[in-house]
Amino acid sequence: MPLAGISHDAEGMGSRGEKQGMHMATPSTDRRIDKLIHLLVKNAMVVVPGPKIASEIGVTRFKVWEWIEKLRALGMEIRGVPAAGYQLMKIPDLLTPSLVRPELGAQTIGHVIVHYFRTESTNDVAFELAAEGAEHGTVVVAEEQTAGRGRLGRAWHSEKSSGIYMSVILRPPLAPTAAPVLTLLAGVAAQQAVISSTGLAVDIRWPNDLLVNGKKICGILTEMSAELDQLHAVVLGIGMNVNHRQMPAELKSTASSLRLETNRAISRVQVLVALLRELERHYGLLLQEGSTAITERWAAASSFASGKRVRVATAAGDMLATTAGLDPSGALRLRRDDGREELLVAGEVVEVK
Ligand code: BTN
């Protein structure tokens, strides 16, 4: 399936011949394109001669011209100065490895970043990479998803270059039954990242939806490949609405974006870097201190942990209950009106006012 502005052959922007993208229906971004972006950013506001760019990234001058045209079509402001070269007019807010990796130091999560201008679902790509042996901490990130997946079989709205659509491959030394704590971990990490980059007040709705002023700004889909007693890989898929100027009509009443809540444009690079740092920090806490370090933090960070009146959809129909803390496994304790307590392991709760 050819994609707008990005073809799949050797003439396009994909990296079909590179190890990371070889097997995929859609190849990941060609490393030389990332080099081109990096070169322009490093020399921002300076006119860089076409032949210099061509020799530094190892392609022809024609190919440089062609890629610049495609980057322009993707929204990058690049001025062409006749007989002189190209000038980047504005630092792009792209999530390419060369713009994100240098901010992460030696941390493991994000040590390898596989970038796509467009792909179906970063979770699907992450699973394919994990099956091929991708290492712990590998991050797959896309500017746009054409088949982004949410929890409970829903679709995830993945508008081009507005949000963060990323998946992290984890290979934790945990039993499959202990994996749910990673879902809570991702929620707390994402909450901290949003708070530090925007100053917004962020709530977490069990298990890990981030809410600002009651509207969802981030969702997390945790999936794993495991055998009965062995966890092979966990994929944390995180979708965050960052610079959406408006949400689609059907989501408007329940979802929002960081831009809509702050009334200003937010750097996706800055939020992604904060998110990857927080994931690294909280993963370290989990390994050093155990799962209670995460469940305690989650309980302190969420108004849903205790005393919240909620509606829960169950196979037997809707049920009203009051939340009564987290079980050490990460399940939500619910107190029914007749006093009985139940543990909610999977599903969705909605606040009842
Ligand atoms: C939810 O329903 O709240 C979870 C949404 C998760 C969306 C993210 S976007 C990146 C990753 N790739 C996907 O297809 N889904 C997750």
Side-chain angles (χ1 to χ4, degrees):
M1 178 179 50
L3 304 174
I6 305 169
S7 63
H8 293 185
D9 56 17
E11 299 305 309
M13 293 169 83
S15 67
R16 187 157 284 262
E18 290 186 54
K19 188 171 170 258
Q20 287 162 347
M22 273 172 78
H23 61 295
M24 302 292 170
T26 317
S28 56
T29 304
D30 191 313
R31 287 205 177 96
R32 294 166 303 174
I33 301 214
D34 196 19
K35 270 193 183 170
L36 168 60
I37 295 167
H38 184 61
L39 191 73
L40 291 170
V41 168
K42 217 172 61 186
N43 297 287
M45 309 315 288
V46 173
V47 179
V48 190
K52 180 176 154 63
I53 300 178
S55 79
E56 283 212 19
I57 69 174
V59 296
T60 63
R61 287 162 63 180
F62 177 71
K63 176 58 69 188
V64 170
W65 172 82
E66 210 178 54
W67 279 348
I68 296 255
E69 285 301 303
K70 285 178 176 165
L71 290 174
R72 282 181 178 142
L74 288 164
M76 270 181 78
E77 286 178 40
I78 306 164
R79 191 163 78 100
V81 184
Y86 300 99
Q87 182 182 17
L88 182 69
M89 305 306 288
K90 200 172 140 218
I91 303 291
D93 194 26
L94 289 174
L95 306 177
T96 54
S98 71
L99 302 182
V100 176
R101 270 281 324 124
E103 308 299 319
L104 296 175
Q107 77 170 55
T108 318
I109 295 182
H111 180 66
V112 175
I113 298 179
V114 182
H115 176 270
Y116 284 80
F117 279 102
R118 188 191 276 184
T119 193
E120 292 184 353
S121 155
T122 56
N123 263 36
D124 293 349
V125 176
F127 265 112
E128 288 183 49
L129 292 176
E132 290 176 358
E135 61 191 76
H136 170 84
T138 299
V139 168
V140 180
V141 63
E143 303 293 328
E144 182 182 8
Q145 294 184 121
T146 54
R149 295 188 285 111
R151 294 176 63 234
L152 309 172
R154 296 182 186 129
W156 185 257
H157 173 68
S158 309
E159 192 178 317
K160 183 168 87 179
S161 296
S162 297
I164 293 173
Y165 317 113
M166 75 132 181
S167 302
V168 185
I169 299 171
L170 299 177
R171 298 195 184 274
L174 299 175
T177 49
V181 76
L182 293 167
T183 291
L184 303 180
L185 182 156
V188 178
Q191 181 201 41
Q192 291 305 312
V194 174
I195 292 173
S196 67
S197 12
T198 65
L200 286 167
V202 187
D203 199 2
I204 314 178
R205 177 172 58 200
W206 189 89
N208 56 13
D209 288 343
L210 297 195
L211 306 180
V212 173
N213 295 320
K215 290 188 176 179
K216 181 160 165 174
I217 50 104
C218 175
I220 301 172
L221 176 66
T222 312
E223 298 179 304
M224 62 177 164
S225 79
E227 283 166 51
L228 216 50
D229 56 354
Q230 200 196 351
L231 198 50
H232 296 305
V234 172
V235 170
L236 288 182
I238 304 182
M240 196 179 286
N241 305 331
V242 182
N243 280 324
H244 301 59
R245 289 166 190 269
Q246 59 172 28
M247 299 307 294
E250 67 279 14
L251 298 176
K252 257 192 179 129
S253 61
T254 54
S256 188
S257 73
L258 301 183
R259 183 182 188 128
L260 287 168
E261 296 303 317
T262 54
N263 287 318
R264 62 185 168 91
I266 303 289
S267 158
R268 288 185 309 143
V269 170
Q270 196 191 323
V271 178
L272 177 59
V273 167
L275 180 54
L276 296 174
R277 286 192 188 143
E278 289 294 344
L279 284 170
E280 176 91 2
R281 188 165 77 82
H282 285 85
Y283 188 76
L285 274 173
L286 172 67
L287 294 194
Q288 279 155 28
E289 297 176 22
S291 63
T292 49
I294 303 302
T295 50
E296 280 171 13
R297 280 173 173 76
W298 191 95
S302 168
S303 78
F304 281 75
S306 189
K308 180 81 92 189
R309 191 82 179 135
V310 291
R311 178 181 302 113
V312 189
T314 70
D318 280 10
M319 163 184 116
L320 287 177
T322 304
T323 61
L326 272 190
D327 179 75
S329 68
L332 184 63
R333 189 165 289 127
L334 296 172
R335 188 166 304 122
R336 298 178 71 136
D337 293 347
D338 61 10
R340 279 184 296 152
E341 281 201 355
E342 286 186 17
L343 279 182
L344 186 64
V345 179
E348 192 170 56
V349 300
V350 179
E351 179 173 14
V352 180
K353 293 213 169 124

